[in-house]
Amino acid sequence: MLVKNYAEALSFIHGRTKFKKSPTLQRMQRFVKALGHPEKQFPIIHITGTNGKGSTVAFLRELLQQQGLRVGTYTSPFIVKFNERIEIDGKMISDEEIVSLVNQVGPVALQLDQQLAAAEGGPTEFEILTAMMFVYFAKAQLDLALIEVGIGGTFDSTNVVTPLLSVITTVAYDHTELLGPTIASIAQHKAGIIKEGCPVVVGNVPAPALKVIRQRAATLNAPLYIFNEDYHVQRLVKSSWGEDFSYAGLGERFGKLHTDLAGHFQVENAAVAVTSYLVWAHQNHSVIKRREVQAALGKTCWPGRFEPVNQEPLIILDGAHNQAAIDELVLSLKQDFRGRHVYILIAILADKQPREMLAELAQLANTTVIATTFNGPRKVADVQAMAANNQLIQYEKQWQPALVKTVQQMSTDDVLLVTGSLYFISEVRQFFK
């Protein structure tokens, strides 16, 4: 096979199966073996979690780059362009490199299609992209790669790696059809990235999840660094947009740190990233420089996460795409926007918990909730029916006229929050950039 341009390359990637019926790593293990095990040719920090993975990666990338390191990142989904999913030092992979990688990886995938035809066939879309990332990073002479899990952990295609450090940011209800119906079952999948003797940084997770993680870590002699046990963070009164907080853990103390990423959950994400950085620094006998930590957190940005895109009136984009993220969003709205009217424009994928998410937002004081739709890659929730059964929720079929209509009725002190699916945020963000 030979793809001639970027459009053909994307067509090949997106044309692959999304999921297989049976969860397994065997297909991915055969894939990387056939490629010469590129995943073994550079050091890795492996990151999973229901929410907070992307922000944690962004913080950690800045902390490591501040040390002069060459850092690769693998994240999903993208906000502006597909290529964002594979970056080095914050610069996305080029269209030409995507074409080249498809031409390297594609023929191997087609061979596996034939070899595994009697089973479930060859690699999926995400396995193809993960293999491309491994090959790209293997020849890039990275100092470190930050690799984000797609879904779960145990059977995720990224879980063929042996990392320096594993990170579990959060555990909450999401992808229950794949990961199981309980916090413990979801945590079991997340804990699947823990490897023998490999340190693990754990964020703010519920007690049933922590129990599962502790058991897995104990079995594998993996040292744990746990939120509110081994490291602590305190949100401070902030003086500007974003968050101010203090941090203490692993023998280090920072009296005041600042990030422009707003929302109290970003303080926890930053704490996970700082702890991960400290574990890495201690592994490598690197000197911790307070000013460099402050600078790295201060310049971290992550599009579509409580991101202000207009000032008067204030318009914020935030990809609160599941129930746990909505819970965090509600806390931030109550803490930071008391006394201001908040218009919430939201579109949700059908496989989340749209009814519960909308109901929670509708109960907020001083808010107007407008449920809408967009052209999502997967089925979008039928919010019209939900709005019809809840007088506190308005419905607009198309988000574009809904956005214009809302802005026209806002005062300069009001706030418009656009939220829900990250795919929706990606679509809306192009309207402002």
Side-chain angles (χ1 to χ4, degrees):
M1 64 162 279
L2 179 68
V3 300
K4 301 182 184 67
N5 54 48
Y6 180 69
E8 287 185 10
L10 288 191
S11 180
F12 174 77
I13 295 167
H14 296 322
R16 302 294 301 189
T17 324
K18 300 290 188 288
F19 296 103
K20 302 287 187 181
K21 290 180 182 178
S22 306
T24 177
L25 272 181
Q26 291 179 356
R27 188 172 48 252
M28 193 66 199
Q29 287 164 342
R30 290 185 67 159
F31 202 179
V32 291
K33 182 180 180 181
L35 290 168
H37 285 294
E39 82 286 359
K40 294 183 177 181
Q41 297 174 36
F42 52 94
I44 291 165
I45 294 178
H46 201 195
I47 300 158
T48 191
T50 305
N51 295 317
K53 296 187 295 292
S55 298
T56 300
V57 166
F59 284 124
L60 190 49
R61 177 178 66 194
E62 292 294 345
L63 285 161
L64 294 164
Q65 285 181 189
Q66 198 72 33
Q67 302 302 310
L69 300 182
R70 183 168 167 80
V71 183
T73 54
Y74 182 53
T75 58
S76 59
F78 64 92
I79 294 296
V80 178
K81 187 174 182 179
F82 176 82
N83 304 38
E84 292 168 28
R85 299 181 68 171
I86 303 173
E87 297 188 344
I88 294 177
D89 290 346
K91 183 179 179 182
M92 71 175 78
I93 187 172
S94 69
D95 294 358
E96 294 74 20
E97 197 68 56
I98 292 276
V99 173
S100 174
L101 287 166
V102 167
N103 284 325
Q104 284 177 261
V105 167
V108 179
L110 296 179
Q111 287 175 3
L112 289 173
D113 283 345
Q114 294 179 339
Q115 293 170 14
L116 301 172
E120 288 190 311
T124 63
E125 176 180 1
F126 190 67
E127 287 167 345
I128 294 276
L129 185 61
T130 301
M132 289 168 57
M133 173 270 296
F134 285 148
V135 171
Y136 182 57
F137 284 171
K139 65 182 180 182
Q141 296 183 312
L142 296 180
D143 292 304
L144 197 57
L146 310 179
I147 295 181
E148 182 184 304
V149 165
I151 294 176
T154 302
F155 298 114
D156 188 77
S157 65
T158 63
N159 203 30
V160 294
V161 303
T162 302
L164 299 175
L165 170 68
S166 301
V167 180
I168 303 173
T169 58
T170 58
V171 178
Y173 293 105
D174 201 6
H175 300 295
T176 52
E177 72 284 1
L178 298 172
L179 307 181
T182 67
I183 289 295
S185 67
I186 295 168
Q188 198 75 52
H189 280 273
K190 308 290 186 196
I193 73 166
I194 299 174
K195 304 291 165 53
E196 180 74 42
C198 173
V200 188
V201 174
V202 184
N204 187 6
V205 303
L210 187 56
K211 181 180 178 182
V212 170
I213 293 166
R214 284 189 195 277
Q215 289 171 342
R216 168 85 176 171
T219 302
L220 295 172
N221 298 308
L224 285 178
Y225 299 90
I226 298 169
F227 180 83
N228 272 348
E229 291 185 19
D230 302 290
Y231 65 100
H232 303 264
V233 68
Q234 184 174 358
R235 197 178 186 217
L236 305 175
V237 176
K238 56 186 182 181
S239 54
S240 59
W241 180 267
E243 301 294 338
D244 292 334
F245 59 98
S246 62
Y247 172 95
L250 281 69
E252 302 291 336
R253 182 178 295 275
F254 300 93
K256 184 178 179 181
L257 297 168
H258 174 81
T259 174
D260 281 345
L261 298 188
H264 81 280
F265 51 92
Q266 293 295 9
V267 172
E268 295 179 1
N269 293 336
V272 170
V274 169
T275 306
S276 301
Y277 164 70
L278 293 176
V279 172
W280 172 86
H282 292 162
Q283 284 178 333
N284 289 273
H285 308 290
S286 179
V287 177
I288 310 298
K289 296 180 181 176
R290 189 172 308 275
R291 196 169 292 178
E292 290 181 353
V293 171
Q294 291 171 329
L297 297 180
K299 66 182 180 182
T300 300
C301 59
W302 193 235
R305 277 69 170 190
F306 227 80
E307 178 188 16
V309 291
N310 193 75
Q311 290 301 325
E312 288 189 7
L314 179 58
I315 301 176
I316 300 167
L317 307 183
D318 186 59
H321 62 289
N322 56 29
Q323 183 64 57
I326 289 291
D327 293 343
E328 298 288 352
L329 177 61
V330 164
L331 281 174
S332 291
L333 290 176
K334 287 179 176 177
Q335 291 173 348
D336 297 334
F337 294 97
R338 291 191 302 269
R340 298 179 74 172
H341 193 88
V342 181
Y343 291 85
I344 302 174
L345 182 64
I346 182 169
I348 313 166
L349 292 178
D351 60 358
K352 302 301 178 179
Q353 295 174 283
R355 194 176 303 278
E356 294 83 352
M357 291 164 71
L358 285 171
E360 183 172 357
L361 291 173
Q363 291 170 8
L364 281 168
N366 303 319
T367 57
T368 300
V369 179
I370 307 128
T372 189
T373 60
F374 71 109
N375 297 318
R378 306 203 304 271
K379 186 179 178 184
V380 177
D382 180 10
V383 289
Q384 183 176 11
M386 296 175 198
N389 294 321
N390 191 329
Q391 294 181 340
L392 298 174
I393 301 170
Q394 299 178 18
Y395 170 74
E396 293 284 349
K397 184 176 182 181
Q398 299 293 331
W399 69 262
Q400 294 91 337
L403 178 67
V404 173
K405 180 180 173 183
T406 303
V407 169
Q408 287 174 344
Q409 66 190 61
M410 292 171 65
S411 73
T412 53
D413 197 45
D414 291 341
V415 179
L416 171 57
L417 172 66
V418 182
T419 190
S421 167
L422 280 163
Y423 296 108
F424 175 50
I425 297 303
S426 174
E427 193 171 306
V428 176
R429 195 173 185 271
Q430 296 177 42
F431 187 82
F432 289 96
K433 296 296 178 180

